[in-house]
Amino acid sequence: MNKDEILARSRAENKNRDIYMLEVLNQASKSAVVVQMVLATIFFVTEVFAGKGINYGLWAIVASANMTIYWIKYMKFHHKQVLVMAVLYTVFVSLMSGCHIYNLFVSSAIL
C-alpha cells in the first residue's frame, strides 16, 4: 500500500475532515469561553464597585456559549454527564435572563 492509498483511506474514514483542524477548533472554542468568563468577571466587579448594580444579562450571554456547546455535545454523543451540564447551564441562562429582563422593567418603572 502506497502513501496515496493510505491518504485516500484516511480521508474516507474521516469524511474529508482534518482531525488536527477539528482539535484546534475545539481548543479555540474552549479558550474563547475562558476569555469570555474573564472579561465578564472584570466587567461584573467593575460595575459592582462603580455602584451600577449587577448586570445579569452579561452572565446570561457568557453562559449561553457553554450552554450551546453542551447541548450540541449531548445531541451528538448522548452522554448523561453532558446532559446534566446542558440542563444546568440552561437553568442558569434562563435565571440570569429573567433577572435581567425583570431589572429592565423595574428600573424603567422607577424613572
Side-chain angles (χ1 to χ4, degrees), residues 97-109:
S97 297
C99 288
H100 182 68
I101 292 168
Y102 175 78
N103 283 344
L104 289 175
F105 281 110
V106 169
S107 66
S108 66

Side-chain angles (χ1 to χ4, degrees), residues 28-46 55-70 85 88-89 92-93 96:
S29 295
K30 289 177 183 178
S31 297
V33 169
V34 169
V35 169
Q36 282 182 328
M37 290 294 209
V38 169
L39 281 173
T41 303
I42 291 168
F43 294 158
F44 173 78
V45 170
T46 303
N55 185 347
Y56 295 104
L58 177 67
W59 289 108
I61 291 169
V62 170
S64 68
N66 276 331
M67 177 188 74
T68 304
I69 290 168
Y70 279 112
M85 291 303 295
L88 288 174
Y89 270 105
F92 182 74
V93 168
M96 294 297 106

Side-chain angles (χ1 to χ4, degrees), residues 5-106:
E5 289 173 355
I6 294 171
L7 186 58
R9 279 191 184 179
S10 176
R11 285 186 181 141
E13 287 175 7
N14 296 319
K15 298 178 185 171
N16 283 330
R17 290 181 287 172
D18 183 3
I19 300 299
Y20 178 71
M21 179 63 81
L22 292 174
E23 184 60 31
V24 168
L25 290 174
N26 187 29
Q27 289 178 355
S29 295
K30 289 177 183 178
S31 297
V33 169
V34 169
V35 169
Q36 282 182 328
M37 290 294 209
V38 169
L39 281 173
T41 303
I42 291 168
F43 294 158
F44 173 78
V45 170
T46 303
E47 283 180 331
V48 168
F49 282 122
K52 301 291 183 183
I54 298 173
N55 185 347
Y56 295 104
L58 177 67
W59 289 108
I61 291 169
V62 170
S64 68
N66 276 331
M67 177 188 74
T68 304
I69 290 168
Y70 279 112
W71 277 116
I72 290 171
K73 282 184 180 180
Y74 176 71
M75 287 182 204
K76 296 289 183 183
F77 302 118
H78 300 288
H79 294 145
K80 192 179 278 188
Q81 294 169 330
V82 175
L83 175 62
V84 169
M85 291 303 295
V87 169
L88 288 174
Y89 270 105
T90 301
V91 168
F92 182 74
V93 168
S94 299
L95 287 172
M96 294 297 106
S97 297
C99 288
H100 182 68
I101 292 168
Y102 175 78
N103 283 344
L104 289 175
F105 281 110
V106 169

